[in-house]
Amino acid sequence: MKNILFTLALLVSFVSFGQTPTYNVNVTQQKSVGESFSDGMKAGAAARSARAREGAARSAALSNNSKTITTDFLINNDDIYKAVAVNKVSGWKPSGNKKAIKKILKPSKKYYYYNNISDIPQNLTNSDKVLYLDWIREAITEYDRMTTMILKDYSGKIVYEASYKNIPYSEMLSPLTTTYVMNKADAIAKIKELKELLDMGILNKEEFQKATQGYKKIILKQ
């Protein structure tokens, strides 16, 4: 009996140690050079297509632009001011807008530039030679931007106010960087343009009268 049990134990051990182990092997099939090249071409085409769509959207936004000046006592009077100070920049990305304003106004040399009203010297705090700039910029859509620029004198009277849609910074700020004058013919054309806006209901009578005051002065002077 002992011999039989011993023999069975040997057989079990032999079978256990004699089993062939099983391994799980993951095999990744490498793409051919041609397949990799094709995938790269597809990815490149998709990226170019996306850039093209974005460029088209930006171009469409730039072509959909407008400028409406509601108050303008600055034109033909810009030489009476000597400095411009940033009072408030608000709305969409204010810090970036303030940097853009500084980048354009400071080198222009038309007016002395103050980045903050706190930078104005005490002797100029209530000076009629300083213009105070308010800048409100909003993101209407992913690419459309609406900007309102307001210039006031020391008493708070609005000297210039305009709304711009998709207009470059340099153009919006041009009254503060270049000689801002208008002749009689241009003033008449501008009043006619504003009259069309009045007839379309875009401007009301009060806004129309306010917007044309500066242009009327130009016509009467010449």
Side-chain angles (χ1 to χ4, degrees):
M1 185 65 177
K2 290 182 178 179
N3 290 334
I4 294 172
L5 292 175
F6 180 74
T7 302
L8 289 173
L10 287 176
L11 288 173
V12 170
S13 299
F14 177 78
V15 171
S16 299
F17 287 101
Q19 288 180 344
T20 303
T22 302
Y23 300 96
N24 292 323
V25 179
N26 294 322
V27 179
T28 302
Q29 185 176 0
Q30 297 292 329
K31 291 184 179 181
S32 67
V33 174
E35 288 174 329
S36 298
F37 180 78
S38 178
D39 288 346
M41 291 291 288
K42 290 178 181 178
R48 288 191 296 272
S49 179
R51 288 195 296 270
R53 288 194 300 271
E54 182 177 356
R58 289 184 182 279
S59 297
L62 290 174
S63 63
N64 180 23
N65 58 68
S66 62
K67 176 174 69 174
T68 303
I69 300 175
T70 53
T71 303
D72 195 353
F73 297 112
L74 185 64
I75 196 162
N76 286 16
N77 294 309
D78 60 336
D79 58 337
I80 69 176
Y81 300 100
K82 303 300 179 185
V84 59
V86 175
N87 178 51
K88 181 176 65 175
V89 177
S90 60
W92 180 76
K93 294 186 177 181
S95 59
N97 276 274
K98 194 167 186 178
K99 288 179 182 178
I101 293 168
K102 181 179 180 180
K103 187 176 181 180
I104 293 173
L105 293 188
K106 190 170 183 179
S108 74
K109 305 299 183 182
K110 178 181 178 180
Y111 296 130
Y112 195 86
Y113 176 76
Y114 296 106
N115 199 46
N116 298 284
I117 57 175
S118 59
D119 297 333
I120 301 174
Q122 189 173 0
N123 63 314
L124 293 178
T125 300
N126 295 316
S127 173
D128 58 2
K129 303 297 183 183
V130 180
L131 288 169
Y132 295 84
L133 170 64
D134 287 347
W135 184 273
I136 306 99
R137 188 167 173 85
E138 300 294 345
I140 308 303
T141 68
E142 185 177 359
Y143 300 107
D144 293 303
R145 302 290 179 264
M146 182 67 73
T147 305
T148 299
M149 183 173 79
I150 303 172
L151 296 169
K152 300 177 182 179
D153 65 12
Y154 74 99
S155 68
K157 176 186 174 182
I158 295 178
V159 175
Y160 180 92
E161 182 175 351
S163 296
Y164 307 93
K165 182 180 181 182
N166 299 333
I167 301 292
Y169 284 87
S170 57
E171 184 177 341
M172 291 188 287
L173 292 166
S174 60
L176 300 174
T177 59
T178 61
T179 302
Y180 189 49
V181 297
M182 180 179 284
N183 58 38
K184 183 176 181 178
D186 290 338
I188 292 173
K190 193 65 183 177
I191 290 177
K192 289 180 178 178
E193 180 183 328
L194 290 168
K195 181 61 167 59
E196 290 182 4
L197 296 177
L198 174 65
D199 294 339
M200 294 169 62
I202 297 175
L203 296 178
N204 58 39
K205 288 185 178 180
E206 183 180 350
E207 291 170 332
F208 173 76
Q209 291 173 354
K210 188 178 180 181
T212 56
Q213 285 180 15
Y215 302 124
K216 289 177 180 178
K217 290 181 180 180
I218 296 169
I219 294 169
L220 295 174
K221 280 182 180 180
Q222 299 179 20

